[in-house]
Amino acid sequence: MGNYLGAVKGMIDLQEDKTIDPFFMVADLHALTTPFDPTSLRESIRNVFVDYLSAGLDPARSTLFVQSMVPQHTELFFLLSTATTMAKMQHLPTFKEKVRQHPDHVTMALFNYPVLMAADILMYKANLVPVGIDQEPHIEVSREIARKMNQDYGLDLPEPQRFATQGEYVPSLTGEGKMSKSVEGSAIFLTDNVETVLKKVRSVPTATISGGEKSGGVANLFVFLELFAPSEVARFEKEYQAETLQFSELKECIADAISAFLKPHQERRAELSKDQALIDAQMKEGAEKARVVAQDTLNEIKQAMGILF
Ligand code: AMP
């Protein structure tokens, strides 16, 4: 859900803008930067693709593809890695966070994550990148790499900006940090049913009495309320300040709103999943379209760097 509100919602808004020719991908190579299970990865990649379609991304209006099906990304990644430093990568907050989470899995792939992301962005000369606020330091890396490549090789790569959504930071159900699919008990999944959503929202830690400064789980519940049931904020805020708020009622209201939001998504997902051949065809077609643009950019950069024959 964090992914949907911070990133996919922005993709849909960009798709609505007729002046934009958007490219969106399932970042499966990035999924290899933390521990993964090869037996379920293929299925997960398809699931994300179907989630994009269910959320409203439309192959007729956006180029939708799977990153690993466009091998130009890994080639450009290497070329761009010449334009940044190890010191820069080491100090990124996201890198430090992953090192804390997976101390035995600090691979070169993890270290290189932001450079691969720069390749994903600069490949399509993107001006706007719909990602959550946690990705801002990576967008900054992409800008720095673009500037350096432009300076050193006379290129004209645009410096990308983050395209922010209202849900640019969705907090965790645990009351600490951001909602994350890889942190136990932290996330609501787009596939969660009504009972699961209610159970998860009920598990958000709250104080026994209301009133005063909001923190932890209580603050997060109000963020969820703002995102999913904005018309209810004033009423619950008033009750909170009057110290009459029933947290169980607040949680039920949030859970209902989240389930109502998930229902149409899940219905579309069930419908689309019936036609796997169509999904395969859309994945193939999207990759073919992306490869054409990707190869043009790659050739331009290789030419400028003196390695195109
Ligand atoms: P991840 O799921 O962490 O690989 O991130 C995929 C995309 O979803 C990135 O653009 C993130 O910024 C965004 N995202 C993930 N979790 C959240 C969250 N809790 N709030 C807002 N955006 C998020």
Side-chain angles (χ1 to χ4, degrees):
M1 199 119 193
N3 185 308
Y4 174 83
L5 293 166
V8 181
K9 182 76 176 59
M11 297 180 193
I12 292 161
D13 291 347
L14 288 169
Q15 178 180 263
E16 297 307 313
D17 186 335
K18 300 274 182 296
T19 64
I20 291 174
D21 178 17
F23 285 72
F24 301 124
M25 61 171 207
V26 178
D28 61 341
L29 295 175
H30 282 90
L32 311 184
T33 63
T34 44
F36 65 96
D37 174 12
T39 52
S40 57
L41 189 59
R42 202 190 316 271
E43 194 54 29
S44 302
I45 294 165
R46 288 179 132 270
N47 282 339
V48 176
F49 197 85
V50 179
D51 273 332
Y52 282 180
L53 297 172
S54 315
L57 291 180
D58 174 6
R61 288 186 285 166
S62 299
T63 303
L64 297 183
F65 63 99
V66 174
Q67 184 186 26
S68 65
M69 291 171 74
V70 183
Q72 286 82 354
H73 285 243
T74 42
E75 190 172 352
L76 182 58
F77 145 72
F78 184 77
L79 302 181
L80 299 185
S81 74
T82 63
T84 187
T85 62
M86 290 175 64
K88 177 90 212 165
M89 298 300 107
Q90 246 160 356
H91 290 114
L92 289 167
T94 38
F95 177 67
K96 290 182 185 165
E97 175 66 24
K98 292 289 178 205
V99 171
R100 260 195 305 275
Q101 282 175 5
H102 309 287
D104 300 327
H105 206 269
V106 186
T107 61
M108 285 308 295
L110 176 66
F111 194 68
N112 284 320
Y113 182 115
V115 189
L116 179 60
M117 182 164 162
D120 304 332
I121 296 167
L122 303 183
M123 187 74 93
Y124 304 97
K125 302 190 176 172
N127 300 100
L128 297 171
V129 188
V131 286
I133 203 160
D134 58 315
Q135 296 290 322
E136 188 60 58
H138 293 169
I139 303 293
E140 177 60 19
V141 167
S142 297
R143 280 195 287 272
E144 286 171 9
I145 291 178
R147 267 199 296 276
K148 179 97 174 98
M149 295 297 288
N150 291 344
Q151 246 166 33
D152 290 357
Y153 308 112
L155 290 159
D156 193 19
L157 301 168
E159 292 184 25
Q161 300 293 326
R162 190 170 69 87
F163 182 75
T165 61
Q166 197 207 352
E168 64 179 9
Y169 181 87
V170 181
S172 167
L173 296 175
T174 62
E176 273 173 49
K178 71 158 192 165
M179 183 177 282
S180 168
K181 58 192 177 308
S182 51
V183 176
E184 187 64 29
S186 160
I188 289 174
F189 294 95
L190 295 175
T191 45
D192 283 347
N193 62 26
V194 175
E195 293 77 35
T196 309
V197 171
L198 185 58
K199 196 164 150 238
K200 285 184 175 179
V201 176
R202 277 194 180 138
S203 77
V204 175
T206 47
T208 39
I209 46 162
S210 65
E213 192 81 3
K214 298 188 199 81
S215 65
V218 177
N220 291 359
L221 285 174
F222 273 86
V223 174
F224 293 133
L225 195 63
E226 191 82 57
L227 286 168
F228 295 102
S231 62
E232 299 289 343
V233 173
R235 170 168 81 93
F236 281 112
E237 184 67 49
K238 208 165 138 210
E239 289 182 14
Y240 181 78
Q241 293 310 341
E243 300 182 13
T244 57
L245 178 79
Q246 296 291 321
F247 284 111
S248 56
E249 200 196 325
L250 171 64
K251 287 176 171 177
E252 258 168 51
C253 170
I254 292 169
D256 285 351
I258 292 177
S259 289
F261 162 82
L262 290 178
K263 194 166 175 263
H265 180 91
Q266 291 170 352
E267 285 170 357
R268 275 196 300 274
R269 183 171 223 299
E271 196 52 41
L272 286 163
S273 300
K274 285 183 195 154
D275 195 346
Q276 292 293 323
L278 179 66
I279 294 163
D280 281 340
Q282 287 174 332
M283 278 168 57
K284 191 161 168 275
E285 206 178 302
E288 276 163 10
K289 274 170 72 185
R291 275 199 290 265
V292 174
V293 179
Q295 194 59 51
D296 279 352
T297 307
L298 193 55
N299 286 351
E300 185 187 338
I301 294 176
K302 286 174 79 172
Q303 173 76 30
M305 292 178 86
I307 54 165
L308 188 73
F309 292 95

